[in-house]
Amino acid sequence: MTVAAKSATKRLRITLRGAVQGVGFRPFVYRLATEMSLAGWVLNSSSGLVVEVEGPADQLRLFEQRLERERPQASVVTVRESSWIAPEGADRFEILASDSDEGKSVNVLPDLATCSQCREELFDPENHRFEYPFTNCTNCGPRYTIVVDIPYDRPNTTMRDFVLCPDCRAEYENASNRRFHAQPNACPVCGPKLDGAIEDVAEALLQGEIVALKGIGGFQLLVDARNAAAVGRLRQRKHREEKPFALMMASLEMAREYCEISPAEVQLLESQAAPIVLLKPKSATDIAWNVAHCSPYLGVMLPYSPLHHLLMQECRFPLVATSGNRSDEPICIANEEAAARLKDIADHFLMHNRPIMRACDDSVVRLTRGRAGILRRARGYAPLGIRVAHAVPPVLAVGGHLKNTVAIGVGQDVFLSQHIGDLDTLEARGAFEKAIADLCRLYSFKPELIACDLHPDYASTQWAERAGLPLHRVQHHQAHVAACAAENNVEGEYLGVSWDGTGYGLDGAIWGGEFFHVSPNDAGHRFERIAHLRPFGLPGGDAAVREGWRSAASLLFEVFGAESPHSDGIAQPAGKPRLEDSRVRYMLQNRINVVPTTSVGRLFDAVASIAGVARQNRFEGQAAMLLENEIGALRTEQAYPLPSGDWGPLIQAVVADKRAGIAVPEIAARFHNALVKWILEVAASTGTKHVVLSGGVFQNRYLTERASAALECRGFVVYTHQRVPPNDGGIALGQTVMNRQT
Ligand code: ZN
Ligand code: ZN
Ligand code: FE
């Protein structure tokens, strides 16, 4: 290798941090340096990727620019440092063995969907890896789900027991090969194997059987999406009533047959994360009615592993693809575990011998305000770090109770776990503890502080109380807006709008319709609750979360007293209240088991009930979703009165409209518009121009988009979630950043 004249020689040391391992960064640096005739080395260390290059100064500067411009697509660089050091007279460029020192801060990469080159090889009969279900390369394949430890090298993955054959080894060691240092590299000779035939699985699916397939982040349950009886059987065995199922489609073309897909949605479907994308379904397709019930969306993903590609090639019809678990339990990852736990659900199994290190469900993404917004963050995204504006002390945040995720704060990086789920079952609590131990071990992280929710009954809070470390209890709705502010790097003061179904308030009431004026101070942020929904009683407490009609009965009772109509808005024959309503009325009259709340989520339930749209939530947020869905393409500026968050005039108007026979879409729109107007009203009353919208209610696209547009129109800057969910899946991030390094 030629190296420039010694007199002009300089040496540059560059350190890159972020998602730089497992994406082919070292071979890229090697090729670039070699092409530019620069000497030096590149090294994967536990604290990042380190490059030293030696050559003429102008060439080194060009090298730095090209390093940024041409770096691998999947890499994310969060920190780049460079410094001039003394030249060493090196005469060639090499890749040094990884070290494994202390202070691990390298991001572990998420799992990457099969790249186009690997896909071509998969279907090329001439290729050595023709129809090999575990093919991958530097640009694609499993990462987070096979990492045992970092740095990310083969002996630190679940591929360590597969000894590379001479051909694979040659690829692995050849810097010009696209499998150079691809840690999960494998072929039919040396790699993992299926323990069944894909054709048999396809046949079983066609016969209406339920198949448990070992995927990337765990087992999936598959069934023919066109077969209502089969889908019904899956629902029954999985104990999942109406919550929509996701679908896997063979190709973009197939997805287009079933859904309207915008260019931005195409990008999401085909991205390396390959998430479930919520799409608008076309009418009159052969998808069974009970796949998504009355949801306005179909959750669709494309095949993201070679195994999925092979299966979909064989099936050529859409499949329901849902997590391999019973409702509310964690997803199965080990073969024996799946055989035991799924034996009453699946008729047929397809397993293999590549171990999955940790569970990772399929992620769910939807376009809101023209941008991708993650609703469930798992495979393809976890555990990418989120860089925040201020360093945090070594804190472990244990999240909420529903849709739980946990997080660790390492300086300015917050590593958020994958979606763990609701912590109602023993299994889920086990998964929660495992995720904490796993995250800490992977990053050699020792928490000095634990952040948890204020709610004393959350399983996460109770775990935190037993952990024996200093505890920081963070109010739920403050955590919501802090999370949104953090991922958007909002500095300075802002108005936080925090609306959800349920969260423990500072006064012990159930909050969920809160406005905070947030101003930064030395300790972090000062939260002032400047407005909230007028409180009302939830008869039966938690029972009202599932039975939305109870909220309706309560509000109607408050507004109309003994004359109040039924909870579905229908006037009662004199002296004859419906039995369930009269029971609730007794509770309300005597203030028995009535819990005060300011929750906008519960107000949604009430209006959905009065409007006759839904009396219950068969899954979280269902009634609100149905009410939003009613609006459809209707556009109206009319809004119900909701003066300073007082629902009295609103409930009166809803009932009047219902009696006057006003159409449900109109009622739904007027209700949503009332909420938008209230946000504008509060925003106008504060001095700040920055508005942060967070909480599960903002999964409502109509509300989020309309509120954002109205605010922006009046000169406000609006921040909504993109990389973490607006629902309780984002709580752990907020809990983390509400601690500041002092
Ligand atoms: Zn590939
Ligand atoms: Zn091989
Ligand atoms: Fe919440």
Side-chain angles (χ1 to χ4, degrees), residues 238-249:
K238 207 175 136 79
H239 299 290
R240 180 151 146 160
E241 289 176 282
E242 290 184 9
K243 196 174 176 192
F245 281 135
L247 300 174
M248 184 172 278
M249 303 269 188

Side-chain angles (χ1 to χ4, degrees), residues 215-226:
I216 293 291
F219 276 78
Q220 285 173 310
L221 291 165
L222 308 176
V223 74
D224 181 351
R226 306 164 305 171

Side-chain angles (χ1 to χ4, degrees), residues 115 118 136-137 139-140 178:
C115 73
C118 284
N136 65 81
C137 73
N139 292 317
C140 74
R178 67 185 190 86

Side-chain angles (χ1 to χ4, degrees), residues 407-421:
I408 55 173
V410 184
Q412 276 177 265
D413 291 311
V414 180
F415 297 102
L416 194 62
S417 77
Q418 67 277 32
H419 165 86
I420 297 165

